[in-house]
Amino acid sequence: MKSFIGTYECKADAKGRLMIPAVLKKQLSAVLQDGFVLKRAVFQPCLELYPMAEWNILMAKVNKLNRFKKKNNDFIRRFTAGVKVVEVDNAGRLLIPKDLMAFSGITKGVVLASAVNIIEIWDKTKYEKAIDDAASDFADLAEEVMGQEDGDDGIS
């Protein structure tokens, strides 16, 4: 698994194309030729950009769900709604399809934020609001998620 680092600002043009910042493009260089999957995020009004290898790992897990259970079928349908295969063009631009632009509310200002093995793509205003809204709860969240006793997972 490749981990990405950083938060970057850029602009989307009228056609929904955004120029991937050079620092991020360098991090993506090993996976550029394989393409990406772009999808709606589950919990936030943003998009998630999966390198194809990461998407395939995720789909292998989803494919193990029993499709004879209605909730599994409903989950798969909603999870994959609006999924698109996308590529970074020779000029280093990523085209965001119109339906995904509408979902995320992206107009011009864009934030590309690393989220371990994927990149979140946000409308700049919504990203700043999400960060501000979470700031007061982050200490409690960090303790709950990462503050397990030694031996649980080795993180300390």
Side-chain angles (χ1 to χ4, degrees), residues 13-140:
D13 67 16
K15 294 181 180 178
R17 295 177 299 198
L18 55 95
M19 182 68 72
I20 304 288
V23 176
L24 183 56
K25 189 176 174 190
K26 185 175 181 182
Q27 292 181 55
L28 293 169
S29 64
V31 295
L32 280 175
Q33 71 282 355
D34 297 330
F36 300 89
V37 170
L38 188 62
K39 71 173 289 300
R40 301 171 185 179
V42 173
F43 300 109
Q44 297 289 342
C46 69
L47 304 176
E48 296 172 338
L49 184 69
Y50 286 79
M52 193 58 72
E54 292 296 330
W55 179 255
N56 289 336
I57 290 168
L58 181 58
M59 286 298 96
K61 292 177 184 176
V62 169
N63 199 36
K64 291 179 182 176
L65 295 173
N66 181 345
R67 292 177 193 225
F68 285 96
K69 291 187 177 181
K70 183 181 181 316
K71 68 179 179 181
N72 291 355
N73 266 339
D74 292 347
F75 167 79
I76 292 168
R77 184 179 314 105
R78 292 186 67 193
F79 184 75
T80 58
V83 168
K84 305 280 192 292
V85 174
V86 295
E87 295 181 356
V88 175
D89 69 15
N90 290 336
R93 298 174 303 189
L94 178 72
L95 174 65
I96 301 174
K98 290 190 185 315
D99 63 324
L100 295 178
M101 291 279 285
F103 169 82
S104 60
I106 292 172
T107 53
K108 190 168 181 129
V110 178
V111 172
L112 303 175
S114 60
V116 186
N117 61 337
I118 65 170
I119 304 295
E120 292 181 339
I121 303 175
W122 288 81
D123 171 75
K124 185 177 188 299
T125 303
K126 288 184 179 185
Y127 178 77
E128 289 171 355
K129 182 177 181 338
I131 294 299
D132 289 346
D133 288 350
S136 62
D137 299 329
F138 186 68
D140 291 338

